Amino acid sequence: MSTAGAAGSAVVVEAPGRHVLVAHESREPGPGEALVAVHAVGVCGSDREVYQGNRPEGYVRYPLTPGHEWSGTVCAVGAGVPAGLLGRKVVGEGFRNCQVCERCHAGETTLCTAGYEETGFTEPGAMAGTLTLPARLLHVLPDGADLTAAALLEPAACVAAAALKAGARPGARVAVVGTGTLGMLAVQFLRAVSPAELLVVGTRPDRAELAREFGATAFRTRNQDLPADIDVVIETAGSASAARTAASLLRRGGRLVLTGIPAPGADGLDPTDLVVRQLEVHTVFGAPPDAWAHTVRVFAAGLLDPLPLVTHELPLTAFSQAIELVGAGDPKVGKVLLRP
């Protein structure tokens, strides 16, 4: 089935600091591909990096239509793709893995040895009316799913990868460091395993109420007295100081999962401390298929509610405003969505 043709507008970042809004032409899906009508697309710090030119070399390719956090509905499929996908609400993985290297066969698709390719960074993204991508990357949502909320399932999948590595068990003492979108999603994933204690540590006291609504049992800022007996900590703040704070919360033998990416050259964790206290450290960059599947299951079960994190919904024509909002540091700005 084909619906390729004119499909509204698209944002194109021609080079760092320069973008245009152009007429968007849908690309007809080829064999193994699907065409998705985009409902909403999230704007995050990495999109700001793309626009400002701060993305590391090899992790962006200009000119580019950004947009890696998205939700939509399948409106056409190519040869070899089940027709049952037509009309289904979907989200999709970003990493365009090769599927044949050793890491891909192990399910570690974010470590694909064929090189980095990702929707919205090196391949056309979802800041357009439609998105064409390999159908194997799609994850089908329930028919009644809220597509606005589902636009946050990409960052949620990254957090799910962290939650799976954290391996928290019912009755454990757990903590989240960071109160941004990733931090609030991490609270919801950890709440789902029924911890005995769920501490949130951040720099924004205004997030305390929301953290408790999502399941936190306590909220503290970093300048308050903090415990040192936590079993599992997920760090989401993206600073070296946050990583060190996260490690300090752990009991001996505790498990730490880092998801944030500090600026280059940041002082890291103390290796002596890691060894002497026998801490277990994991890291996450992106989300493999099992984390995506876990996210969709948790979302479908009603255990994950990203919608309260959305504070702004803007048209594609407001791309510049969205980028400014994301970098403004305004506590009133949560998740910003663009609506094609």
Side-chain angles (χ1 to χ4, degrees), residues 24-56:
H24 175 62
E25 291 288 329
S26 297
R27 182 172 70 78
E28 184 173 346
E33 292 185 325
L35 176 68
V36 176
V38 178
H39 174 83
V41 55
V43 184
C44 82
S46 55
D47 296 308
R48 184 175 170 84
E49 288 179 353
V50 167
Y51 185 67
Q52 294 182 326
N54 299 328
R55 187 86 171 158

CSV table of all heavy atoms in Angstrom, one decimal, residues 24-56:
chain,number,residue,atom,x,y,z
A,24,HIS,N,7.3,18.8,3.0
A,24,HIS,CA,7.7,17.4,3.2
A,24,HIS,C,7.1,16.5,2.2
A,24,HIS,O,5.9,16.5,2.0
A,24,HIS,CB,7.3,17.0,4.6
A,24,HIS,CG,7.6,15.5,4.9
A,24,HIS,ND1,8.9,15.0,4.8
A,24,HIS,CD2,6.8,14.5,5.2
A,24,HIS,CE1,8.9,13.7,5.1
A,24,HIS,NE2,7.6,13.4,5.4
A,25,GLU,N,7.9,15.7,1.6
A,25,GLU,CA,7.4,14.6,0.7
A,25,GLU,C,7.6,13.3,1.3
A,25,GLU,O,8.8,12.9,1.6
A,25,GLU,CB,8.2,14.7,-0.7
A,25,GLU,CG,7.8,15.9,-1.5
A,25,GLU,CD,6.4,15.8,-2.1
A,25,GLU,OE1,6.0,14.7,-2.4
A,25,GLU,OE2,5.8,16.9,-2.3
A,26,SER,N,6.6,12.5,1.6
A,26,SER,CA,6.7,11.2,2.1
A,26,SER,C,7.5,10.3,1.2
A,26,SER,O,7.4,10.4,0.0
A,26,SER,CB,5.4,10.6,2.4
A,26,SER,OG,4.6,11.3,3.3
A,27,ARG,N,8.4,9.5,1.8
A,27,ARG,CA,9.1,8.5,1.0
A,27,ARG,C,8.4,7.2,1.1
A,27,ARG,O,8.1,6.6,2.2
A,27,ARG,CB,10.6,8.3,1.5
A,27,ARG,CG,11.4,7.3,0.7
A,27,ARG,CD,12.8,7.3,1.1
A,27,ARG,NE,13.1,6.7,2.4
A,27,ARG,CZ,13.1,5.4,2.7
A,27,ARG,NH1,12.8,4.5,1.7
A,27,ARG,NH2,13.3,5.0,3.9
A,28,GLU,N,8.0,6.7,-0.1
A,28,GLU,CA,7.3,5.4,-0.2
A,28,GLU,C,8.1,4.3,0.5
A,28,GLU,O,9.3,4.1,0.2
A,28,GLU,CB,7.0,5.0,-1.6
A,28,GLU,CG,6.2,3.8,-1.8
A,28,GLU,CD,5.8,3.6,-3.2
A,28,GLU,OE1,5.9,4.5,-4.0
A,28,GLU,OE2,5.3,2.4,-3.5
A,29,PRO,N,7.5,3.5,1.4
A,29,PRO,CA,8.3,2.4,2.0
A,29,PRO,C,8.7,1.3,1.0
A,29,PRO,O,8.0,0.9,0.2
A,29,PRO,CB,7.3,1.9,3.0
A,29,PRO,CG,5.9,2.2,2.5
A,29,PRO,CD,6.1,3.5,1.8
A,30,GLY,N,10.0,1.0,1.1
A,30,GLY,CA,10.5,-0.1,0.3
A,30,GLY,C,10.3,-1.4,1.0
A,30,GLY,O,9.7,-1.5,2.1
A,31,PRO,N,10.9,-2.5,0.5
A,31,PRO,CA,10.8,-3.8,1.1
A,31,PRO,C,11.3,-3.8,2.6
A,31,PRO,O,12.3,-3.2,2.9
A,31,PRO,CB,11.7,-4.7,0.3
A,31,PRO,CG,11.7,-4.0,-1.1
A,31,PRO,CD,11.7,-2.5,-0.8
A,32,GLY,N,10.4,-4.3,3.5
A,32,GLY,CA,10.8,-4.3,4.9
A,32,GLY,C,10.6,-3.0,5.6
A,32,GLY,O,10.9,-3.0,6.8
A,33,GLU,N,10.0,-2.0,5.0
A,33,GLU,CA,9.9,-0.7,5.6
A,33,GLU,C,8.4,-0.4,5.9
A,33,GLU,O,7.5,-1.0,5.3
A,33,GLU,CB,10.5,0.4,4.7
A,33,GLU,CG,12.0,0.3,4.6
A,33,GLU,CD,12.5,1.5,3.9
A,33,GLU,OE1,11.9,2.0,2.9
A,33,GLU,OE2,13.6,2.0,4.2
A,34,ALA,N,8.2,0.6,6.7
A,34,ALA,CA,6.8,1.1,7.0
A,34,ALA,C,6.8,2.6,6.9
A,34,ALA,O,7.9,3.3,7.2
A,34,ALA,CB,6.3,0.6,8.3
A,35,LEU,N,5.7,3.2,6.6
A,35,LEU,CA,5.5,4.7,6.6
A,35,LEU,C,4.6,5.0,7.7
A,35,LEU,O,3.5,4.5,7.8
A,35,LEU,CB,4.9,5.1,5.2
A,35,LEU,CG,4.6,6.6,5.1
A,35,LEU,CD1,5.9,7.4,5.1
A,35,LEU,CD2,3.8,6.9,3.8
A,36,VAL,N,5.1,5.9,8.6
A,36,VAL,CA,4.3,6.3,9.8
A,36,VAL,C,3.9,7.8,9.7
A,36,VAL,O,4.7,8.6,9.4
A,36,VAL,CB,5.2,6.1,11.0
A,36,VAL,CG1,4.4,6.5,12.3
A,36,VAL,CG2,5.5,4.6,11.2
A,37,ALA,N,2.6,8.0,10.0
A,37,ALA,CA,2.2,9.4,10.1
A,37,ALA,C,2.5,9.8,11.5
A,37,ALA,O,2.0,9.2,12.5
A,37,ALA,CB,0.7,9.5,9.9
A,38,VAL,N,3.3,10.8,11.7
A,38,VAL,CA,3.8,11.3,13.0
A,38,VAL,C,2.8,12.0,13.7
A,38,VAL,O,2.2,13.0,13.2
A,38,VAL,CB,5.1,12.1,12.8
A,38,VAL,CG1,5.6,12.6,14.2
A,38,VAL,CG2,6.2,11.4,12.1
A,39,HIS,N,2.5,11.6,15.0
A,39,HIS,CA,1.6,12.3,15.8
A,39,HIS,C,2.2,13.4,16.6
A,39,HIS,O,1.8,14.5,16.7
A,39,HIS,CB,0.9,11.3,16.8
A,39,HIS,CG,0.0,12.0,17.8
A,39,HIS,ND1,-1.3,12.4,17.5
A,39,HIS,CD2,0.2,12.3,19.1
A,39,HIS,CE1,-1.8,12.9,18.6
A,39,HIS,NE2,-0.9,12.9,19.6
A,40,ALA,N,3.3,13.1,17.3
A,40,ALA,CA,4.1,14.0,18.1
A,40,ALA,C,5.5,13.6,18.2
A,40,ALA,O,5.9,12.4,18.0
A,40,ALA,CB,3.5,14.1,19.5
A,41,VAL,N,6.4,14.6,18.4
A,41,VAL,CA,7.8,14.3,18.5
A,41,VAL,C,8.4,15.1,19.6
A,41,VAL,O,8.1,16.3,19.7
A,41,VAL,CB,8.6,14.6,17.1
A,41,VAL,CG1,8.3,16.0,16.6
A,41,VAL,CG2,10.1,14.3,17.2
A,42,GLY,N,9.2,14.5,20.5
A,42,GLY,CA,9.8,15.1,21.6
A,42,GLY,C,11.0,15.9,21.2
A,42,GLY,O,11.8,15.5,20.3
A,43,VAL,N,11.3,16.9,22.0
A,43,VAL,CA,12.6,17.7,21.8
A,43,VAL,C,13.4,17.5,23.0
A,43,VAL,O,12.9,17.8,24.2
A,43,VAL,CB,12.3,19.2,21.5
A,43,VAL,CG1,13.5,20.0,21.3
A,43,VAL,CG2,11.3,19.4,20.4
A,44,CYS,N,14.6,17.1,22.9
A,44,CYS,CA,15.5,16.9,24.1
A,44,CYS,C,16.8,17.6,23.9
A,44,CYS,O,17.1,18.2,22.9
A,44,CYS,CB,15.6,15.4,24.4
A,44,CYS,SG,16.9,14.6,23.4
A,45,GLY,N,17.7,17.4,24.9
A,45,GLY,CA,19.0,18.1,24.9
A,45,GLY,C,19.8,17.7,23.7
A,45,GLY,O,20.6,18.5,23.2
A,46,SER,N,19.7,16.4,23.2
A,46,SER,CA,20.5,16.0,22.1
A,46,SER,C,20.1,16.7,20.8
A,46,SER,O,20.9,16.9,19.9
A,46,SER,CB,20.5,14.5,22.0
A,46,SER,OG,19.2,14.0,21.8
A,47,ASP,N,18.8,17.0,20.7
A,47,ASP,CA,18.3,17.8,19.6
A,47,ASP,C,18.9,19.2,19.6
A,47,ASP,O,19.3,19.8,18.6
A,47,ASP,CB,16.8,17.9,19.5
A,47,ASP,CG,16.1,16.6,19.4
A,47,ASP,OD1,16.5,15.9,18.4
A,47,ASP,OD2,15.3,16.2,20.2
A,48,ARG,N,19.0,19.8,20.8
A,48,ARG,CA,19.7,21.1,21.0
A,48,ARG,C,21.2,21.0,20.6
A,48,ARG,O,21.7,21.9,19.9
A,48,ARG,CB,19.5,21.5,22.4
A,48,ARG,CG,20.1,22.9,22.7
A,48,ARG,CD,19.8,23.3,24.1
A,48,ARG,NE,20.5,24.5,24.5
A,48,ARG,CZ,20.1,25.8,24.2
A,48,ARG,NH1,18.9,25.9,23.6
A,48,ARG,NH2,20.8,26.8,24.6
A,49,GLU,N,21.8,19.8,20.9
A,49,GLU,CA,23.2,19.6,20.5
A,49,GLU,C,23.3,19.6,19.0
A,49,GLU,O,24.3,20.2,18.4
A,49,GLU,CB,23.7,18.3,21.1
A,49,GLU,CG,24.0,18.3,22.5
A,49,GLU,CD,24.5,17.0,23.0
A,49,GLU,OE1,24.5,16.0,22.3
A,49,GLU,OE2,24.8,16.9,24.2
A,50,VAL,N,22.4,18.9,18.3
A,50,VAL,CA,22.4,18.9,16.9
A,50,VAL,C,22.3,20.3,16.3
A,50,VAL,O,23.0,20.6,15.4
A,50,VAL,CB,21.2,18.0,16.3
A,50,VAL,CG1,21.0,18.2,14.9
A,50,VAL,CG2,21.5,16.5,16.7
A,51,TYR,N,21.4,21.1,16.8
A,51,TYR,CA,21.2,22.4,16.3
A,51,TYR,C,22.4,23.3,16.6
A,51,TYR,O,22.8,24.1,15.7
A,51,TYR,CB,19.9,23.0,16.9
A,51,TYR,CG,19.6,24.4,16.3
A,51,TYR,CD1,19.2,24.5,15.0
A,51,TYR,CD2,19.6,25.5,17.1
A,51,TYR,CE1,18.9,25.7,14.4
A,51,TYR,CE2,19.3,26.8,16.5
A,51,TYR,CZ,19.0,26.9,15.2
A,51,TYR,OH,18.7,28.1,14.6
A,52,GLN,N,23.0,23.2,17.7
A,52,GLN,CA,24.1,24.0,18.1
A,52,GLN,C,25.4,23.6,17.5
A,52,GLN,O,26.4,24.3,17.5
A,52,GLN,CB,24.2,24.2,19.6
A,52,GLN,CG,23.0,24.9,20.2
A,52,GLN,CD,23.2,25.0,21.7
A,52,GLN,OE1,23.8,24.2,22.4
A,52,GLN,NE2,22.7,26.1,22.3
A,53,GLY,N,25.5,22.3,17.1
A,53,GLY,CA,26.7,21.8,16.5
A,53,GLY,C,27.6,21.2,17.6
A,53,GLY,O,28.8,21.0,17.4
A,54,ASN,N,27.0,20.8,18.7
A,54,ASN,CA,27.8,20.2,19.8
A,54,ASN,C,27.8,18.7,19.8
A,54,ASN,O,28.4,18.1,20.7
A,54,ASN,CB,27.3,20.7,21.2
A,54,ASN,CG,27.4,22.2,21.3
A,54,ASN,OD1,28.3,22.8,20.8
A,54,ASN,ND2,26.4,22.8,22.0
A,55,ARG,N,27.1,18.1,18.9
A,55,ARG,CA,27.1,16.6,18.8
A,55,ARG,C,28.5,16.1,18.4
A,55,ARG,O,29.1,16.6,17.5
A,55,ARG,CB,26.0,16.2,17.8
A,55,ARG,CG,25.7,14.7,17.8
A,55,ARG,CD,24.7,14.3,18.8
A,55,ARG,NE,24.3,12.9,18.6
A,55,ARG,CZ,23.7,12.2,19.5
A,55,ARG,NH1,23.5,12.7,20.7
A,55,ARG,NH2,23.4,11.0,19.2
A,56,PRO,N,29.0,15.1,19.1
A,56,PRO,CA,30.3,14.5,18.8
A,56,PRO,C,30.4,14.1,17.3
A,56,PRO,O,29.4,13.7,16.7
A,56,PRO,CB,30.5,13.3,19.7
A,56,PRO,CG,29.6,13.6,20.9
A,56,PRO,CD,28.4,14.4,20.3
